Amino acid sequence: MVTSTAAELEPTDGHREEVESVVVRFAGDSGDGMQLTGSQFTLATALAGNDLATFPDFPAEIRAPIGTTFGVSAFQINFGAREIATAGDAPDVLVAMNPAALKVNIGELNTGGTVIVDIGTFSDRNLKKAGFTEDPLANGSLDDFQVLSIDISKLTLESVKEFGLGNKEALRSKNMWTLGLVYWLYDRDRQPTLDWLRDKFAKRGNIADANIAAINAGHAFGETAELPSGLHGYKVRHADIAPGLYRTVTGAEALAWGMAMGAKLANLRLLLASYPITPASPLLHILAGMKQFDIVTFQAEDEIAAVCAAIGGAYAGSLGVTSSSGPGIALKGEAIGLAVGVELPLVVVNSQRAGPSTGMPTKTEQSDLYQAVFGRNADAPLVVLAAASPADCFEVAIEAVRLATKYMTPVMLLTDGYIGNASEPWLIPDLDAFEPFPVEFAGQAEDFHPYSRNGETLARPWARPGTPGLQHRIGGIERQDGSGNISYDAENHQRMTDLRARKIAGIADDVPPQGVELGPKSGRLAVVGWGSTHGPIHRAVGNMLDQGLEVAHIHLRNIWPLPRNLGELLSGYEAILVPEMNNGQLVTVLRAEYLVPAEGLNKVNGQPFKITEIENAIRARLEG
Amino acid sequence: MNVQAEIDTLKAKDFASDQEVRWCPGCGDYAILKGVQRTLAEIGTPPENVVFISGIGCSSRFPYYLSTYGFHTIHGRAPAVATGVKLANPELDVWIVTGDGDGLSIGGNHLLHVLRRNVDVQILLFNNEIYGLTKGQYSPTSRIGTRSPSTPMGSLDRPLLPAQFALGANASFVARAVDTQQKHMPDVLKRAHAHNGASFVEIYQNCIVYNDGVFSSFAEKETADAGQLRVEHGQPMIFGKDRQRGIRMVPDTFSLEVVEIGKDGVTEADLLVHDEGDRILAGLLAEMRGPDYPVAIGVLFCEETQSYDTAVYQQVAQVREHASITDLNELLRGGATWTVTE
């Protein structure tokens, strides 16, 4: 465990140029260890007291052929002395470990930005594999950038030669050499990474030694080498952030811990039943390692079995959770309808990805809102919540558990591949301060009716098998109001359909009224978002407010039912803009629900919105 | 599930619900319901600890007619729901009721996996070789040539034998019973219940409307003696009205043959003795069909193993014993953290 205060980590080098924020992208072959490099840099940056946001972007192929453009894996981090809302529109620094990484990423580098390339990989063969017809380092195509060409491969081999590794194994330390150089560039502390390497390779001391030597050599290179003019070390002051104990957290971690916390607050055993699917599997992996917290995980034979096992768990008195991505949620649809009908609590997590069908599994999208709200046969209303950021997953997971158990209903929790994999600093909450919401199971009763209802919530009682005297039968066939017995009665079906709808609609009174995150509470333009568009919208609206434009940011956590005051709130704006990483889903729901003139700003290229894209859209509406 | 009510305090009728039974008059399901109610009374588990879970189909209406806990789920998925129930509370006594369509067609995958995993449940598969509730289409157990609304010229695809399927899925308990054999069925069901793991019981069930008499060659009073081989562990395989016929192993071809005791020098000592622990033998028995062979009824296979749910909770207990972090607050504060001061 590394604990240090930001003040202790203030750079000591007085000659460094101070910058407010920087975007660095590490890019290389899938096998180059870019995600690991990025996560180590993230940790060092967090420890330096900067605010930050990250965006891991990796290919679907596990090991694509080496040197190809489709095998390029990248990790982007935006860090600074101010509040950081997104992983950054465009990198200021690009680290390209091979020609393919340069080819794929150079187009996005800011003009005047720095590109660090390992020329040791720029062989004719690799250039050809990357699709270059001529050497980009020699043909003037990089003239707009500061290019730092280093034979990282050769320098790495030299730095680790004393450890007696084979050539292939020695070259694996290239990423650590590069990390050492970038640590120097931004004055980051190497120690946490050195500790981490010692721990990770505890049983292979020479590998740890080699990697440490590589980091140190990369760092020393920065200190001593003659860098091209204009290139020097930088300093990024620590950000002004709320005091307290912090850690970095990914969306998947926050989600897992939030579920565990929700189950604890509800005083329930957690049963997660899931089937592996990208990008949802990390929730299963993390919870599988938390058995000591009364958590049981089950890798089912398929998506349908997973949701059915979660429903079975709920029926028997556990918190049933299932987790998947869009295609898997589609398979679970019938069973979710069963949970709606039998009115059992269930949490369904959808880590959305680009689609339809298999789509682009590792690329992010938020195109399952229709599926979440409407995607079942018949009138089958349920609760839909959306997480806005990695850390937000923690609270949203707890809220999902609270609503599911209080209202005896399935709750769909929408997150996405970006939120799941991205990390951000997190002020660790004090869990003892959370209000428990323990479930009260039905107890022995003379006159028990499985479909009697709580007058306030309209929830039916949760009667666990094993409770004497409460034996009852439930099922997918329409249930008689009160008794739950099979009923084909027309009037009863009308009444039960109305009850199910009213129960969910009533939840709007039990969720916080919709607030305005930034900007005026009425006026010319509201930018309404949900989910992972939070960062870019927040920054874009903030920037536009600074420039004097009359624009507000409204961000929805409660997708269904919508907050009670939302219609009135939206009617206070002349125009409504809804940026979404889909073809226009929330915008349709808002128009249908409130008859407001909302218009969409839509994008489905597998990448999060850039701040400038939203700024441009705002300007077009307010300055036109 | 091992809590026993006082013997003799429960009667079969104590396991009947207040719901009107809605199967067709003369349906084999009535007999099975009676047999199951009798079995439950004899086992003596308190009704509140018993859960019946079903999918969709005629057979799957079963839970509504029992006074236990019941969950009528969706088509083919009962094994998955039941697995969740056992994972949430392994103490419950869980029974799955399914049919040849529900369990072997739409739910074939779940049946495969509940058997392979060895979840501690009893699975009653009512095999009537037809889809009843959807009005008579052929099923995965229908014999080739079965004429039905969807196969007016006769079905073309090869059927499967449920017991063979279960053995192939590495089931730890495989048995057979006949709907109308009210003395025999409860014995088989009690054995299934006593087994620790997934117990698979195929019950031949007559569909009086869409497939009447499909098992008449061995399931009726007049045909049972000659058409059935009642297997019992440690007992020689003898059948026939006068118990004159038996099953003998043909070592050369590794197959079974029907022999007459007293004919060609065959004595009882030549007959195969049933060994429940022999999966290969169970496979041979499962395959026996008329008209040349009797149909094997009873416990074909039983292997003592640990159930999945038991193993899951053993792992949980192991983790609890050794975990260094047992508090969520502590978990969140593990790894790299830093303090931001004012």
Side-chain angles (χ1 to χ4, degrees):
Chain A
M1 176 157 145
V2 187
T3 305
S4 40
T5 64
E8 286 166 7
L9 295 163
E10 279 291 277
T12 50
D13 184 350
H15 304 298
R16 292 176 169 271
E17 182 191 343
E18 192 166 318
V19 286
E20 203 192 20
S21 69
V22 188
V23 179
V24 177
R25 184 182 294 183
F26 297 94
D29 204 71
S30 303
D32 282 343
M34 289 297 99
Q35 300 305 324
L36 200 146
T37 308
S39 60
Q40 283 301 308
F41 190 79
T42 302
L43 176 60
T45 297
L47 292 174
N50 297 135
D51 197 11
L52 65 90
T54 71
F55 178 44
D57 186 17
F58 42 84
E61 289 77 12
I62 301 300
R63 284 278 184 274
I66 295 172
T68 55
T69 50
F70 50 89
V72 172
S73 172
F75 185 100
Q76 183 163 309
I77 175 168
N78 183 6
F79 58 101
R82 62 168 187 176
E83 187 200 359
I84 298 296
T86 75
D89 282 7
D92 302 303
V93 177
L94 169 66
V95 175
M97 300 301 288
N98 69 0
L102 181 72
K103 174 98 179 173
V104 171
N105 291 288
I106 192 67
E108 291 183 55
L109 187 63
N110 273 328
T111 305
T114 301
V115 53
I116 301 171
V117 294
D118 176 11
I119 49 167
T121 62
F122 275 59
S123 63
D124 289 347
R125 189 157 167 266
N126 282 346
L127 286 167
K128 208 172 144 194
K129 264 201 217 166
F132 285 114
T133 48
E134 48 185 331
D135 185 354
L137 301 176
N139 69 358
S141 62
L142 303 179
D143 285 354
D144 288 345
F145 311 106
Q146 295 197 62
V147 183
L148 187 51
S149 302
I150 311 169
D151 195 339
I152 296 174
S153 300
K154 187 174 143 208
L155 291 170
T156 301
L157 288 176
E158 279 172 15
S159 68
V160 306
K161 67 172 179 251
E162 64 182 286
F163 304 106
L165 305 174
N167 199 56
K168 200 173 162 191
E169 195 144 38
L171 277 175
R172 289 223 178 103
S173 299
K174 272 196 308 189
N175 61 336
M176 288 297 123
W177 193 98
T178 313
L179 183 61
L181 175 62
V182 183
Y183 276 171
W184 172 80
L185 206 55
Y186 292 102
D187 201 31
R188 308 276 94 139
D189 186 4
R190 279 165 285 165
Q191 198 56 48
T193 301
L194 305 188
D195 294 343
W196 175 80
L197 284 165
R198 282 262 169 257
D199 187 51
K200 182 173 167 72
F201 296 111
K203 287 184 183 143
R204 300 180 70 197
N206 63 331
I207 302 280
D209 289 339
N211 279 298
I212 288 166
I215 288 201
N216 289 336
H219 194 267
F221 180 90
E223 277 179 335
T224 56
E226 289 264 328
L227 296 180
S229 71
L231 251 183
H232 46 260
Y234 296 90
K235 174 176 167 176
V236 183
R237 283 196 171 274
H238 70 84
D240 189 16
I241 35 187
L245 184 67
Y246 281 79
R247 65 170 299 142
T248 60
V249 71
T250 65
E253 287 167 338
L255 190 60
W257 298 338
M259 286 299 168
M261 186 62 195
K264 192 181 163 199
L265 294 171
N267 197 24
L268 295 177
R269 169 174 289 161
L270 168 56
L271 172 63
L272 172 78
S274 186
Y275 183 74
I277 183 170
T278 302
S281 307
L283 183 64
L284 171 61
H285 304 165
I286 297 167
L287 288 173
M290 292 173 62
K291 292 185 170 59
Q292 68 269 39
F293 298 102
D294 205 11
I295 292 170
V296 175
T297 56
F298 172 57
Q299 181 179 316
E301 59 270 24
D302 61 29
E303 297 284 0
I304 298 172
V307 64
C308 286
I311 291 170
Y315 174 67
S318 285
L319 173 68
V321 180
T322 188
S323 166
S324 188
S325 190
I329 301 295
L331 285 165
K332 295 179 198 291
E334 185 196 8
I336 296 172
L338 174 70
V340 169
V342 296
E343 300 185 53
L344 281 170
L346 175 73
V347 178
V348 182
V349 178
N350 180 355
S351 296
Q352 300 165 95
R353 67 189 213 189
S357 185
T358 306
M360 299 194 290
T362 61
K363 303 300 177 192
T364 196
E365 213 163 89
Q366 40 179 190
S367 44
D368 296 344
L369 185 142
Y370 284 165
Q371 183 191 43
V373 178
F374 307 117
R376 288 161 296 285
N377 61 300
D379 293 306
L382 45 68
V383 180
V384 182
L385 304 176
S389 73
D392 190 43
C393 287
F394 186 77
E395 273 187 30
V396 176
I398 293 172
E399 178 70 350
V401 177
R402 184 184 75 87
L403 293 176
T405 52
K406 182 171 177 183
Y407 293 91
M408 297 290 283
T409 177
V411 175
M412 184 91 72
L413 194 167
L414 296 176
T415 172
D416 61 41
Y418 172 62
I419 291 177
N421 290 316
S423 62
E424 64 182 358
W426 185 38
L427 178 61
I428 305 172
D430 176 11
L431 302 185
D432 298 331
F434 283 75
E435 188 70 34
F437 42 84
V439 164
E440 273 184 48
F441 290 105
Q444 246 169 313
E446 276 299 298
D447 193 23
F448 172 70
H449 298 286
Y451 278 79
S452 59
R453 287 179 194 278
N454 177 307
E456 188 195 336
T457 62
L458 297 182
R460 75 176 191 90
W462 193 355
R464 278 181 299 186
T467 315
L470 300 194
Q471 292 97 291
H472 64 282
R473 275 63 59 190
I474 58 172
I477 297 181
E478 185 63 281
R479 298 132 301 263
Q480 179 71 41
D481 187 14
S483 74
N485 289 333
I486 288 181
S487 168
Y488 292 108
D489 178 70
E491 300 276 314
N492 178 69
H493 179 56
Q494 180 74 54
R495 191 160 59 248
M496 291 298 274
T497 302
D498 294 345
L499 272 168
R500 287 188 286 263
R502 266 175 48 211
K503 180 174 84 167
I504 300 303
I507 292 172
D509 294 323
D510 193 15
V511 301
Q514 184 62 47
V516 177
E517 298 215 2
L518 281 178
K521 303 228 170 344
S522 63
R524 289 191 63 193
L525 176 66
V527 182
V528 182
W530 67 281
S532 69
T533 51
H534 182 274
I537 295 176
H538 199 71
R539 172 61 66 195
V541 169
N543 290 348
M544 294 299 94
L545 283 167
D546 288 347
Q547 292 180 22
L549 297 182
E550 196 183 328
V551 57
H553 177 199
I554 293 170
H555 213 77
L556 303 185
R557 170 184 285 181
N558 295 96
I559 305 295
W560 201 266
L562 291 160
R564 192 62 86 203
N565 66 328
L566 184 63
E568 200 189 328
L569 180 66
L570 294 182
S571 68
Y573 296 91
E574 289 167 31
I576 295 160
L577 179 67
V578 185
E580 293 179 88
M581 294 187 287
N582 60 43
N583 234 356
Q585 299 192 6
L586 178 65
V587 69
T588 314
V589 173
L590 294 180
R591 290 173 69 100
E593 286 295 308
Y594 304 120
L595 300 175
V596 288
E599 56 172 326
L601 175 66
N602 305 99
K603 160 171 173 169
V604 283
N605 67 351
Q607 303 290 322
F609 271 101
K610 291 186 191 306
I611 296 163
T612 51
E613 290 170 335
I614 295 170
E615 285 177 349
N616 292 341
I618 293 170
R619 276 207 197 89
R621 278 152 192 84
L622 294 182
E623 295 180 342
Chain B
M1 63 171 280
N2 293 321
V3 184
Q4 303 288 315
E6 269 182 60
I7 303 298
D8 297 335
T9 56
L10 291 167
K11 302 266 186 304
K13 66 174 169 42
D14 293 327
F15 285 90
S17 76
D18 60 354
Q19 296 294 292
E20 185 193 342
V21 184
R22 293 197 195 182
W23 288 310
C24 308
C27 176
D29 289 353
Y30 284 93
I32 304 175
L33 179 62
K34 215 167 103 190
V36 168
Q37 286 168 342
R38 183 177 302 160
T39 305
L40 292 172
E42 287 177 19
I43 291 168
T45 308
E48 65 266 23
N49 287 346
V50 180
V51 185
F52 271 77
I53 300 174
S54 63
I56 294 291
C58 294
S59 60
S60 289
R61 293 294 182 93
F62 210 84
Y64 289 113
Y65 309 136
L66 291 168
S67 64
T68 65
Y69 281 91
F71 196 172
H72 179 219
T73 70
I74 46 177
H75 208 6
R77 318 305 172 196
V81 175
T83 302
V85 169
K86 283 300 276 191
L87 286 173
N89 184 358
E91 301 302 313
L92 294 171
D93 184 6
V94 177
W95 300 69
I96 294 168
V97 178
T98 183
D100 42 311
D102 187 65
L104 292 166
S105 194
I106 193 166
N109 193 33
H110 308 304
L111 187 56
L112 162 69
H113 290 280
V114 77
L115 291 171
R116 143 186 104 69
R117 279 195 188 99
N118 205 30
V119 183
D120 188 18
V121 293
Q122 291 74 246
I123 302 155
L124 313 184
L125 186 140
F126 301 3
N127 183 12
N128 57 15
E129 298 192 2
I130 208 78
Y131 282 83
L133 202 59
T134 50
K135 303 202 191 305
Q137 299 85 353
Y138 81 115
S139 91
T141 56
S142 298
R143 290 155 219 190
I144 292 178
T146 299
R147 288 177 188 272
S148 80
S150 59
T151 51
M153 296 168 68
S155 61
L156 302 170
D157 35 334
R158 284 149 46 105
L160 60 72
L161 293 168
Q164 261 190 339
F165 171 90
L167 288 165
N170 209 11
S172 61
F173 182 98
V174 179
R176 275 185 185 147
V178 177
D179 54 4
T180 50
Q181 292 178 350
Q182 288 292 310
K183 276 197 185 128
H184 182 248
M185 190 199 309
D187 289 343
V188 171
L189 297 182
K190 278 190 275 182
R191 281 289 311 277
H193 179 264
H195 179 67
N196 183 28
S199 313
F200 179 82
V201 184
E202 175 189 8
I203 303 175
Y204 292 108
Q205 176 248 323
N206 189 48
C207 174
I208 197 163
V209 174
Y210 295 109
N211 216 9
D212 194 23
V214 71
F215 304 124
S216 59
S217 65
F218 65 88
E220 282 168 17
K221 232 176 222 160
E222 308 75 45
T223 58
D225 286 338
Q228 287 179 27
L229 170 72
R230 292 265 184 97
V231 293
E232 247 177 273
H233 184 63
Q235 297 298 316
M237 297 183 187
I238 302 177
F239 69 104
K241 197 160 187 167
D242 311 314
R243 300 191 60 74
Q244 282 295 304
R245 310 182 80 195
I247 300 292
R248 186 168 72 175
M249 175 67 81
V250 188
D252 295 351
T253 56
F254 202 69
S255 58
L256 304 180
E257 68 175 344
V258 174
V259 291
E260 299 261 348
I261 300 168
K263 200 173 166 190
D264 302 328
V266 172
T267 68
E268 208 178 297
D270 296 317
L271 302 183
L272 260 178
V273 172
H274 184 44
D275 176 2
E276 285 176 358
D278 187 338
R279 189 181 292 273
I280 307 278
L281 176 61
L284 293 171
L285 290 172
E287 213 175 340
M288 293 198 309
R289 272 172 288 187
D292 301 334
Y293 290 93
V295 171
I297 301 290
V299 179
L300 305 190
F301 182 70
C302 178
E303 172 187 39
E304 280 314 316
T305 54
Q306 188 184 44
S307 75
Y308 174 69
D309 33 300
T310 305
V312 165
Y313 277 93
Q314 268 184 11
Q315 239 181 27
V316 169
Q318 223 175 1
V319 172
R320 280 198 178 158
E321 201 183 319
H322 298 291
S324 53
I325 297 179
T326 53
D327 177 72
L328 276 174
N329 261 318
E330 206 184 329
L331 179 77
L332 265 52
R333 282 155 183 79
T337 60
W338 67 96
T339 302
V340 173
T341 47
E342 300 266 4

